[in-house]
Amino acid sequence: MELRDVWFVFIAILWIGYFFLEGFDFGVGVLTKLLARDRIERRVLINAIGPVWDGNEVWLISAGAATFAAFPEWYATLFSGFYLPLLLILVCLIIRGVSFEFRAKRTGERWQTNWEHAIFWSSLLPAFLWGVAFGNIVRGVKIDANKEYVGNLLDLLNPYAILGGLVTLTLFTFHGAVFTALKTDGDIRHRARTLATVLGLVTAVLSLGFLTWTQIARGDGSSLVAMVVATAALVGAIVLNTAGREGWSFALSGVTIVAAVGMLFLTLFPDVMPSSLDDRWSLTVDNASSTPLTLTIMTWCAGIALPLVVVYQSWTYWVFRKRIGTQHIAEAH
């Protein structure tokens, strides 16, 4: 395995880590409207992810930076071709971060309600758009001989990509509901478990269709194994959630995300961005990568930085591991 192959795997790991971690706090953001009945319960949900949501976004920054350095042609084509969707995601992430911080700065009902709306929409839209983006990457887009995207925005809104967006939206919301059941106490915990079962069943139907479509279009033996793992883990997560085993259910919902995203990268390799116009114009790990010297320097840097990030985030989750409930909220700020 050459360094460019190693970096393809490393970037896949970064995206998997991002979707595993940011997935549940996107889901919790959506649940502020679907699950919470009043302002106190919305504060419980926000507090559940308050200590960790910003750290989860480190994985996105790392994935983007790694793509820029290791596969500059991929980065250039992706960010120019998907400019508007990625810009919308970026705006949502900015608004989302501001909403968490500004919501409690004033006690006025209108002020807090507006920021709560912002939390909901800036969680829902990225959860959907990431699936659309990756659906298009796997399906292939209009890339010409100059490695430039020559399609338009409507080309990105195809049935396969939209189904991918619905899968990530429902899967992340299910992941968030299971996390809520694991992290909270009292009535909201039981309602989160009930809602998670419903969301899990919807996710199972959508994801089975999307993964089957992916397997038929681009899959091989390894991607089929990943698909089976993702499906089995999702079913297990639903069953264990129903049985009240939130910890194991959350672990398996995470395995579902890991296997499903892993399957997408398995179907891509050795391409990083297939061309739907001509296979010869596809971006691959060979023609889109940086020089061996650049990849070598990056490998040393990543070998030092990644363990530190994992240790720090693990410590953060351990410190803030206890359940919270409405009894811990003195008043609705």
Side-chain angles (χ1 to χ4, degrees):
M1 181 179 287
E2 299 186 20
L3 275 180
R4 56 178 178 262
D5 301 325
V6 172
W7 272 94
F8 178 86
V9 173
F10 183 66
I11 289 172
I13 291 173
L14 291 175
W15 280 110
I16 288 170
Y18 174 66
F19 288 139
F20 180 97
L21 297 172
E22 189 86 313
F24 73 75
D25 66 51
F26 278 148
V28 172
V30 174
L31 292 175
T32 56
K33 293 295 185 183
L34 299 184
L35 179 65
R37 291 176 173 172
D38 53 35
R39 180 146 296 135
I40 294 179
E41 289 192 348
R42 281 191 287 275
R43 187 176 171 191
V44 169
L45 294 178
I46 293 171
N47 287 2
I49 59 173
V52 298
W53 69 266
D54 49 353
N56 295 341
E57 294 186 354
V58 170
W59 292 81
L60 172 61
I61 298 171
S62 300
T67 304
F68 171 77
F71 298 100
E73 294 285 357
W74 184 11
Y75 181 93
T77 303
L78 175 65
F79 278 76
S80 59
F82 291 20
Y83 182 82
L84 287 177
L86 292 178
L87 178 61
L88 181 56
I89 290 174
L90 178 61
V91 170
C92 285
L93 294 180
I94 293 172
I95 293 175
R96 189 166 176 266
V98 172
S99 301
F100 285 131
E101 299 297 331
F102 277 30
R103 175 187 170 277
K105 298 303 182 183
R106 288 170 54 182
T107 58
E109 182 174 350
R110 183 177 179 181
W111 171 271
Q112 294 192 354
T113 298
N114 288 337
W115 287 118
E116 287 165 2
H117 287 319
I119 290 173
F120 171 76
W121 287 108
S122 60
S123 298
L124 184 148
L125 288 175
F128 174 75
L129 289 174
W130 279 127
V132 173
F134 271 84
N136 278 292
I137 292 173
V138 172
R139 174 180 177 268
V141 292
K142 295 180 178 179
I143 299 175
D144 65 11
N146 297 318
K147 302 178 183 178
E148 294 181 0
Y149 177 73
V150 293
N152 54 50
L153 182 61
L154 292 179
D155 292 328
L156 303 179
L157 300 177
N158 54 81
Y160 176 79
I162 291 175
L163 178 58
L166 293 175
V167 169
T168 53
L169 175 58
T170 54
L171 179 56
F172 291 169
T173 308
F174 168 70
H175 196 41
V178 175
F179 176 80
T180 300
L182 175 64
K183 194 68 174 65
T184 60
D185 200 5
D187 180 60
I188 193 171
R189 171 189 177 187
H190 299 294
R191 284 189 283 113
R193 189 191 303 162
T194 301
L195 181 58
T197 300
V198 177
L199 289 169
L201 294 174
V202 174
T203 303
V205 173
L206 293 175
S207 61
L208 183 60
F210 178 73
L211 296 180
T212 301
W213 192 344
T214 304
Q215 179 63 28
I216 293 173
R218 296 184 58 91
D220 56 16
S222 59
S223 62
L224 178 60
V225 172
M227 175 182 170
V228 172
V229 172
T231 304
L234 180 56
V235 172
I238 297 171
V239 172
L240 289 171
N241 170 75
T242 305
R245 304 295 297 272
E246 293 106 339
W248 284 106
S249 179
F250 179 73
L252 285 180
S253 68
V255 171
T256 303
I257 293 175
V258 171
V261 178
M263 177 187 176
L264 298 183
F265 278 94
L266 286 171
T267 59
L268 267 180
F269 187 82
D271 292 339
V272 295
M273 204 166 179
S275 172
S276 60
L277 300 178
D278 192 320
D279 288 340
R280 295 174 300 174
W281 300 342
S282 296
L283 297 179
T284 69
V285 293
D286 294 322
N287 63 24
S289 66
S290 294
T291 64
L293 177 59
T294 300
L295 296 178
T296 300
I297 295 173
M298 288 175 56
T299 301
W300 282 102
C301 294
I304 296 171
L306 183 61
L308 295 177
V309 171
V310 172
V311 169
Y312 171 76
Q313 281 206 285
S314 299
W315 176 79
T316 302
Y317 278 93
W318 175 256
V319 170
F320 296 100
R321 66 189 183 277
K322 292 184 178 180
R323 293 179 182 271
I324 63 173
T326 54
Q327 70 273 16
H328 299 114
I329 307 299
E331 53 185 81
H333 286 319

